[in-house]
Amino acid sequence: MTMKSCLLTRFAALSAILAACSPLALHAQELPYDDVAGEGDSGDVSDSTGVGRGPRVTVSPYIEASQVLLAELSPGSETLTYSSLAAGIDASFAGRNNQGSVSVRYERRFGWGKKAADSDTLSGIARFQTAVVPRTLNFEVGALAARSSIENNGSTVSGLEFGDSATQVYSAYAGPSLATRMGDVAVNGHYYFGYTRIDSPNAIAVVPGQNPVDVLDDATRHNAELHFGTKAGEPLPVGIGAGVGWNREDISNLDQRINDFHARGDVAVPLTSDLQLVAGVGWEKVEVSSRDALRDTVTGLPVLDSNGRYVTDSSAPRQIAFESEGLIWDAGVMWRPSKRTALEAHVARRYGYTNYYGSFAYAPSARTSINISAYDSLTSFGGMLNKALANLPTDFEAVRNPLNGDLGGCVAARGSVASGQSGCLIGVLGSVRSAVFRGRGVMASVGYTGSRFGYGVGAGYDRRRFIAVPGTVLGVTNLTIDENIWLAAYLNGKLDANSSIGLGAWANWYQSGDALAGNSNAVGATASYNRSITSRLSATAALGITGVNREALADIWTAQALAGVRYSF
């Protein structure tokens, strides 16, 4: 299958998924929050963001034509010119029985000259929730298609147009969630299946002596939770609960696997009407395993496939990289003084070490949201991206790069904003290494959506300590630590009835645990001006710059300019 036909096949598949989950096919119901014991568990967050108003539907399909000028400022001085055609749709639906948002775009670029090659790009993000049985059984789905460039240390850079390391990231999850009652007992549960794939070239530049960048190929995830709990006072003075959970992630690279099962009981002790202490204790068994790479019988070196990835030796025995079995516990506080404010803070013992997690959500007004979250888990790139998709709000507007249509680091949340759900994915997409890791970090975002302008700022810190079997080809990454500090911001505003501007900026500071790979810093900024010509036709002019500073390789700086028109149906 050719690259073009493969891309078009994925576009058709994603379109079919989105069509099946379109607002016309949904009829979901918001779920009320219940302060039951165990609500603060560190599993996936996937609650509704309904706003208690009548149904709202917006559907905006469009086509675009534009001319793009790309200039390489460093280390070379090439200038490339493209013409592009794009088609896309932005849609959202928020009502009593369903909620969802989608932004999907397909772009075809036609290069001028021999060095400006033709290319296809698919980008999109979607999140839907529908009620199979109103107020009881929901079905959820989320999907992402994004484009970025991979550095020699495994980090990614958005918006970089020069180089041969452009890659496509695809991820999706789907599954039912349950929220019902059996008398005084609240029953909550879910099952999600997730899939993540990265299509990357085999031309990623590496420094002499460095092993190939082990970029994720594809991965699946099964995550299931079931919990029974009572509120304080119904019927006991304290809330009690019990639950079980299972998480399994299978990574095609070297047949890596995470298998995690836990069972626990918990209690919630109210101190005031809006403050309670929560605690739990249980048992968990977790195992991380993999196989080694196939070795060349003559040289003894690991064999690489046509995409530059290690070939798994399927005849080799599975080896344990990490295992833990025994007692787990956690304790914390939950504070919810109003529908606009929610705070959780927890300390726990899990995976054989102490971890910390929590969240804070505050909505000072209906247009403003503030969210902060801290996380600590054993996962992989695919699993972390799936969880981030599940944590997106169902009512959002995608923020795109005006020069190439790529998704920005965050989405603009609309509707109810005190949900504790983050609208940023840039931290998760910071590294695409395949190895399993313990991920710890914190992220914060502030967003405002007004009648004339809106803005958003997201920032975070992500730390990944990789886990691999010593002596295998991935053994060199065992216990190494990659750290990433990231920032993303945007501002959109109307100048008058017919014109508007958009500003965007992002940066990340990536420190690799691989001494040969070195560290890298990346920054980018864009500015655009939009002018309505008719009620459906508009014109756009945009400028942008992207730069990557690298320790082990030459720095790259590029600039872009665009002029185009859009017709909205």
Side-chain angles (χ1 to χ4, degrees):
M1 180 180 291
T2 66
M3 178 67 72
K4 180 178 180 181
S5 61
C6 181
L7 182 59
L8 291 177
T9 299
R10 291 197 179 96
F11 176 67
L14 181 61
S15 299
I17 293 174
L18 298 179
C21 303
S22 66
L24 297 179
L26 304 180
H27 56 100
Q29 176 77 36
E30 297 99 0
L31 297 175
Y33 170 75
D34 284 323
D35 287 318
V36 297
E39 189 71 32
D41 197 9
S42 58
D44 292 340
V45 177
S46 185
D47 55 17
S48 168
T49 59
V51 295
R53 61 175 183 262
R56 174 181 55 78
V57 181
T58 60
V59 180
S60 302
Y62 62 87
I63 56 175
E64 284 184 358
S66 57
Q67 193 70 18
V68 183
L69 178 69
L70 307 179
E72 183 182 13
L73 307 178
S74 175
S77 58
E78 288 188 80
T79 299
L80 307 178
T81 304
Y82 291 90
S83 297
S84 71
L85 294 175
I89 184 172
D90 295 311
S92 66
F93 186 88
R96 183 172 179 80
N97 288 324
N98 62 73
Q99 301 152 14
S101 299
V102 58
S103 177
V104 63
R105 173 189 172 94
Y106 172 76
E107 180 175 324
R108 173 68 176 176
R109 286 192 171 185
F110 305 91
W112 290 27
K114 295 181 179 180
K115 292 186 178 181
D118 295 352
S119 62
D120 298 89
T121 300
L122 173 68
S123 60
I125 189 168
R127 175 83 159 80
F128 294 106
Q129 178 175 286
T130 182
V132 179
V133 180
R135 306 187 68 83
T136 301
L137 182 63
N138 283 359
F139 188 83
E140 301 183 19
V141 62
L144 170 75
R147 182 177 181 270
S148 60
S149 179
I150 302 175
E151 289 295 300
N152 67 298
N153 55 16
S155 65
T156 61
V157 180
S158 176
L160 187 63
E161 296 294 336
F162 277 89
D164 299 318
S165 59
T167 186
Q168 283 280 153
V169 178
Y170 303 96
S171 187
Y173 86 96
S177 60
L178 176 70
T180 187
R181 301 192 67 87
M182 299 172 57
D184 292 331
V185 179
V187 182
N188 293 274
H190 68 254
Y191 167 75
Y192 297 145
F193 173 77
Y195 177 76
T196 301
R197 179 176 178 81
I198 296 180
D199 285 342
S200 66
N202 56 4
I204 299 172
V206 296
V207 298
Q210 180 187 348
N211 292 323
V213 181
D214 188 42
V215 177
L216 174 72
D217 186 5
D218 62 8
T220 60
R221 176 176 183 253
H222 302 267
N223 182 268
E225 298 275 352
L226 183 62
H227 185 270
F228 300 86
T230 64
K231 281 184 177 182
E234 296 181 3
L236 302 177
V238 298
I240 58 172
V244 294
W246 174 64
N247 184 70
R248 172 162 167 167
E249 300 179 29
D250 287 279
I251 304 159
S252 63
N253 304 59
L254 303 178
D255 202 11
Q256 297 176 78
R257 177 182 298 166
I258 302 174
N259 199 30
D260 183 358
F261 174 83
H262 73 267
R264 53 168 284 162
D266 40 73
V267 61
V269 181
L271 300 180
T272 67
S273 60
D274 51 36
L275 178 66
Q276 61 180 343
L277 299 178
V278 293
V281 64
W283 173 88
E284 180 176 47
K285 181 177 181 179
V286 58
E287 179 182 282
V288 178
S289 61
S290 67
R291 291 186 168 89
D292 200 2
L294 184 68
R295 306 279 178 164
D296 186 279
T297 56
V298 177
T299 64
L301 297 175
V303 177
L304 303 178
D305 64 16
S306 59
N307 294 317
R309 294 184 174 94
Y310 295 115
V311 176
T312 305
D313 186 356
S314 57
S315 64
R318 180 173 292 279
Q319 301 182 61
I320 303 299
F322 172 83
E323 60 182 341
S324 176
E325 180 177 2
L327 183 71
I328 59 173
W329 58 263
D330 68 79
V333 296
M334 296 176 62
W335 181 56
R336 299 201 174 185
S338 70
K339 293 182 178 180
R340 294 183 177 273
T341 306
L343 170 68
E344 294 186 24
H346 301 263
V347 59
R349 182 73 178 176
R350 196 173 181 185
Y351 312 124
Y353 52 76
T354 303
N355 58 17
Y356 306 89
Y357 63 94
S359 64
F360 173 72
Y362 175 54
S365 70
R367 298 180 181 273
T368 306
S369 64
I370 300 172
N371 287 285
I372 303 173
S373 64
Y375 55 89
D376 190 335
S377 63
L378 186 67
T379 185
S380 67
F381 173 79
M384 197 172 187
L385 185 52
N386 273 176
K387 287 187 281 188
L389 280 174
N391 281 339
L392 285 177
T394 54
D395 194 8
F396 65 82
E397 180 179 354
V399 178
R400 290 184 175 271
N401 186 318
L403 292 156
N404 53 29
D406 290 345
L407 293 167
C410 303
V411 299
R414 297 179 299 211
S416 177
V417 290
S419 63
Q421 294 174 306
S422 172
C424 293
L425 299 174
I426 184 173
V428 181
L429 296 171
S431 171
V432 292
R433 289 182 180 270
S434 76
V436 173
F437 57 85
R438 176 192 176 187
R440 292 187 292 171
V442 61
M443 65 176 67
S445 63
V446 178
Y448 172 82
T449 303
S451 57
R452 291 200 59 178
F453 74 95
Y455 66 84
V457 179
Y461 166 77
D462 183 67
R463 182 182 190 271
R464 301 182 184 184
R465 184 182 185 186
F466 294 99
I467 300 171
V469 179
T472 65
V473 71
L474 284 184
V476 293
T477 67
N478 186 45
L479 303 183
T480 62
I481 297 172
D482 286 359
E483 297 177 283
N484 185 32
I485 299 174
W486 57 269
L487 173 69
Y490 68 88
L491 171 66
N492 299 321
K494 294 181 179 180
L495 299 179
D496 54 43
N498 296 315
S499 61
S500 63
I501 60 169
L503 303 174
W506 57 267
N508 70 282
W509 297 266
Y510 191 88
Q511 182 172 345
S512 174
D514 185 343
L516 289 175
N519 305 328
S520 63
N521 304 320
V523 296
T526 62
S528 63
Y529 172 78
N530 302 279
R531 180 75 181 181
S532 297
I533 301 172
T534 69
S535 60
R536 297 185 179 274
L537 184 66
S538 62
T540 299
L543 298 171
I545 188 168
T546 302
V548 185
N549 174 267
R550 305 183 289 189
E551 280 189 340
L553 296 171
D555 298 348
I556 296 179
W557 283 91
T558 68
Q560 298 184 58
L562 172 145
V565 293
R566 170 186 286 202
Y567 184 83
S568 301
F569 296 93

